[in-house]
């Protein structure tokens, strides 16, 4: 498999944080976006008589457990992850499967039979990226339209190759490494959050950026609340019982939050709630992926609940700072578990959340960079080995651990003066090398680790 090159494309908040549905950003959100884009392009070329999709590599090996087939069907039928009603998904897909036809892009009826028009190529990896798709549209007259798409992590997709398209946007405070980020902050006399805010002005004004940040925070909070109300078993056949509702009730019964152990219980609850909601196919914020969607919301809720004098401005600082760290991982490595293992998902989310919390609590830029480094250093080598290919075991509990580690990392960094031996750049490069060295069976293929040592029944 070809080694992944660093991404130098200009990316912003909207590229890192999106609102979609579960259970996976790379295996659900990304394929849905790719299928939707393909349907629009196919219709632009004429009226197809048939369309098909082939899934390769990790998408094929764990696609059933990650609802990749459902995502492709929805995308072809004109739905997008930001707007599709999670409660209507099962009905939409069931109708298409029973009628064996779909409305391509919501406009043209074409036959659609799984196994003939949607094929899992579990024996093949495309050279550009582990998450590859091939779409074909046939027309009554003329050549078929064929295109390849890749889901490169966090719901992002690219056509033709695995590198994101370059942008002509010029950022006023551009940075591509942790060292550059600190240098720019020192030169300008600003915080890391200030740098991200200034750069976002290339896309929108400050008022719109604040509204976007507030919408992310509201969506994260709403997901926690929904997750704490959910009950029953998660879909997929593992018979995993949702635990957040019962845990929430137990914590409420324990009364005031004076016992220090309650802090850990509440943070774990909030992460658990988000990832159970994600596993159930609910609406979540990709932060920076769906499989790791519980870490940042849980740590943000910790700031707002347990820290002294939390403010909306502090929450925005938290999210802006997490974004700066997320940009570095996307540019210098990857946030795709199919490339990096779970260190690229829960590990990255932990690193981002640690930096965000430190920033919200008033840490220096050097302490923030140190917090991000600590958050990743102790997630290095974390494999992605989901049992049954489902984003449930060990994924849900890993988010609780990632959130607790992030809080610990933030305070450890703030007890120091920001100086440390291992830089954030060094730990990101180590993560990248570790991901490349990691055998594919430990990278979201369900061919190693817990996925083969625990029977999925």
């Amino acid at each position: 498999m070809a080694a992944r090159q660093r991404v130098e494309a200009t990316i912003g908040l909207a590229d890192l944080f999106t609102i979609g549905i579960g259970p996976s950003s790379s295996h659900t959100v990304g394929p849905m976006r790719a299928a939707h884009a393909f349907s629009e392009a196919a219709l632009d070329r004429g009226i197809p008589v048939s369309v098909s999709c082939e899934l390769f590599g990790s998408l094929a090996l764990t696609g059933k457990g990650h609802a990749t087939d459902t995502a492709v069907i929805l995308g072809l039928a004109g739905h997008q992850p930001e707007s599709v009603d999670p409660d209507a998904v099962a009905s939409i897909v069931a109708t298409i499967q029973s009628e064996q036809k779909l409305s391509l892009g919501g406009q043209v009826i074409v036959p659609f039979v799984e196994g003939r028009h949607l094929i899992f190529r579990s024996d093949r990896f495309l050279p550009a990226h582990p998450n590859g798709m091939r779409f074909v549209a046939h027309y009554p007259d003329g050549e078929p339209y064929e295109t390849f798409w890749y889901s490169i992590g966090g719901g992002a997709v690219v056509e033709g190759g695995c590198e994101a398209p370059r942008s002509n946007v010029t950022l006023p405070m551009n940075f591509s490494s942790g060292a550059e980020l600190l240098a720019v902050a020192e030169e300008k006399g600003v915080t890391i959050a200030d740098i991200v805010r200034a750069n976002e002005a290339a896309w929108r004004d400050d008022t719109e950026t604040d509204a976007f940040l507030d919408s992310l925070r509201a969506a994260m909070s709403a997901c926690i609340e929904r997750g704490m109300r959910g009950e029953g078993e998660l879909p997929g056949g593992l018979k995993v019982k949702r635990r957040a509702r019962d845990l929430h009730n137990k914590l409420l019964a324990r009364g005031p939050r004076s016992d220090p152990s309650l802090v850990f219980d509440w943070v774990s609850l909030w992460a658990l709630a988000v990832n159970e909601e994600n596993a159930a196919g609910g609406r979540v914020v990709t932060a920076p992926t769906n499989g790791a969607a519980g870490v940042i919301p849980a740590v943000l809720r910790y700031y707002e609940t347990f820290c002294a004098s939390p403010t909306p401005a502090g929450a925005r600082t938290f999210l802006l700072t997490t974004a700066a760290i997320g940009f570095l991982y996307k540019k210098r490595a990857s946030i795709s578990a199919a490339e990096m293992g779970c260190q690229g998902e829960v590990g990255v989310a932990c690193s981002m959340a640690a930096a965000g919390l430190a920033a919200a609590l008033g840490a220096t830029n050097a302490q923030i960079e140190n917090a991000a480094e600590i958050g990743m250093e102790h997630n290095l080598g974390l494999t992605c080995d989901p049992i049954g290919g489902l984003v449930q075991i060990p994924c849900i509990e890993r988010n609780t651990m990632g959130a607790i580690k992030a809080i610990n990392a933030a305070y450890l960094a703030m007890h120091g003066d920001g100086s440390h031996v291992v830089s954030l750049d060094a730990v990101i490069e180590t993560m990248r090398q570790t991901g490349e060295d990691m055998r594919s069976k430990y990278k979201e293929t369900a061919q190693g680790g817990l996925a083969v040592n625990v029977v999925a029944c």
Side-chain angles (χ1 to χ4, degrees):
M1 189 180 301
R4 178 172 169 79
Q5 298 177 349
R6 293 176 180 172
V7 176
E8 298 298 338
T10 303
I11 53 178
L13 282 170
D15 299 304
L16 191 67
F17 295 118
T18 59
I19 300 173
I21 63 170
S24 170
S25 46
S26 60
H27 285 56
T28 314
V29 176
M32 194 186 309
R33 288 182 175 147
H36 183 273
F38 162 75
S39 69
E40 289 190 327
L43 289 168
D44 285 343
R45 287 165 169 75
I47 307 298
V49 294
S50 70
V51 297
S52 63
C53 173
E54 293 175 275
L55 302 170
F56 298 90
S58 179
L59 291 181
L61 288 163
T62 63
K64 289 288 185 181
H66 287 86
T68 307
D69 46 353
T70 293
V72 170
I73 291 170
L74 291 171
L76 291 175
H79 298 283
Q80 298 204 64
E82 298 86 351
S83 56
V84 67
D85 179 1
D87 294 330
V89 165
S91 175
I92 294 169
V93 173
T95 299
I96 291 171
Q97 290 172 330
S98 64
E99 295 181 353
Q100 297 191 337
K101 61 184 178 182
L102 61 77
S103 179
L104 184 67
Q107 298 180 44
V108 177
I109 301 297
V110 295
F112 196 83
V113 180
E114 292 187 66
R116 189 164 79 216
H117 299 107
L118 179 57
I119 304 167
F120 288 77
R121 303 291 190 193
S122 57
D123 59 336
R124 288 183 57 192
F125 280 77
L126 297 180
H129 194 279
N131 293 334
M133 295 160 275
R134 173 179 177 263
F135 293 94
V136 181
H138 293 275
Y139 301 88
D141 300 305
E143 293 293 318
Y145 166 54
E146 177 188 68
T147 182
F148 288 85
W149 282 83
Y150 300 89
S151 182
I152 60 173
V157 292
V158 293
E159 184 180 13
C162 68
E163 294 302 328
R166 295 182 181 274
S167 170
N168 59 4
V169 171
T170 300
L171 302 181
M173 298 188 193
N174 196 25
F175 60 90
S176 59
S177 69
E180 287 181 5
L181 178 62
L182 291 177
V184 171
E186 176 70 20
E187 177 188 351
K188 303 293 185 182
V190 297
T191 67
I192 290 172
D194 291 334
I195 291 174
V196 177
R197 180 178 288 281
N199 287 341
E200 288 300 306
W203 289 281
R204 68 187 78 82
D205 62 34
D206 253 9
T207 302
E208 291 176 306
T209 293
D210 281 343
F212 180 67
L213 291 169
D214 292 346
S215 73
L216 292 175
R217 184 252 167 219
M220 290 177 179
S221 182
C223 187
I224 290 174
E225 298 301 323
R226 286 196 310 274
M228 291 191 300
R229 293 193 299 269
E231 54 187 333
E233 288 184 357
L234 293 171
L238 289 183
K239 302 185 185 302
V240 174
K241 186 179 182 294
R242 294 179 72 141
R243 291 179 285 172
R245 180 187 176 98
D246 288 345
L247 178 56
H248 186 216
N249 290 336
K250 288 177 182 177
L251 291 178
L252 290 175
R254 287 176 67 179
R257 302 169 188 177
S258 56
D259 181 347
S261 70
L262 281 171
V263 175
F264 296 104
D265 287 338
W266 279 100
V267 172
S268 294
L269 164 66
W270 298 326
L272 197 73
V274 170
N275 282 85
E276 287 182 350
E277 189 67 14
N278 177 64
R283 191 167 302 288
V284 301
V285 177
T286 301
T289 68
N290 281 28
V295 176
I296 290 173
V299 178
L300 178 56
R301 179 69 69 95
Y302 165 82
Y303 162 73
E304 295 177 329
T305 304
F306 290 106
C307 295
S309 304
T311 64
R316 292 171 190 150
T317 294
F318 178 102
L319 291 171
L320 287 166
T321 307
T322 65
I325 304 306
F327 296 157
L328 293 177
Y329 283 100
K330 287 199 73 168
K331 288 180 177 182
R332 304 183 69 82
S334 171
I335 60 171
S336 168
E339 290 185 287
M340 295 289 113
C342 200
Q343 60 173 359
E345 295 207 23
V346 168
V348 170
C350 176
S351 179
M352 292 168 64
L357 178 59
L361 295 177
T364 66
N365 290 329
Q367 290 171 325
I368 292 167
E369 185 259 1
N370 190 13
E373 181 275 322
I374 294 171
M376 173 52 73
E377 184 177 342
H378 302 288
N379 280 288
L380 288 173
L382 191 60
T383 59
C384 180
D385 49 356
I387 296 174
L390 298 165
V391 191
Q392 297 180 19
I393 305 172
C395 320
I396 295 173
E397 287 183 355
R398 276 192 183 161
N399 277 259
T400 71
M401 303 304 290
I404 297 297
K405 280 185 179 182
I407 296 169
N408 193 19
Y411 285 113
L412 278 173
M414 292 180 68
H415 285 308
D417 61 4
S419 60
H420 50 110
V421 174
V422 181
S423 69
L424 177 58
D425 289 335
V427 86
I428 292 175
E429 175 60 17
T430 302
M431 185 201 82
R432 186 191 67 79
Q433 293 176 5
T434 302
E436 290 192 356
D437 290 342
M438 191 182 292
R439 295 177 65 180
S440 64
K441 69 179 184 178
Y442 298 116
K443 295 192 287 188
E444 209 167 8
T445 60
Q447 294 181 321
L450 290 175
V452 299
N453 286 304
V454 177
V455 177
C457 54

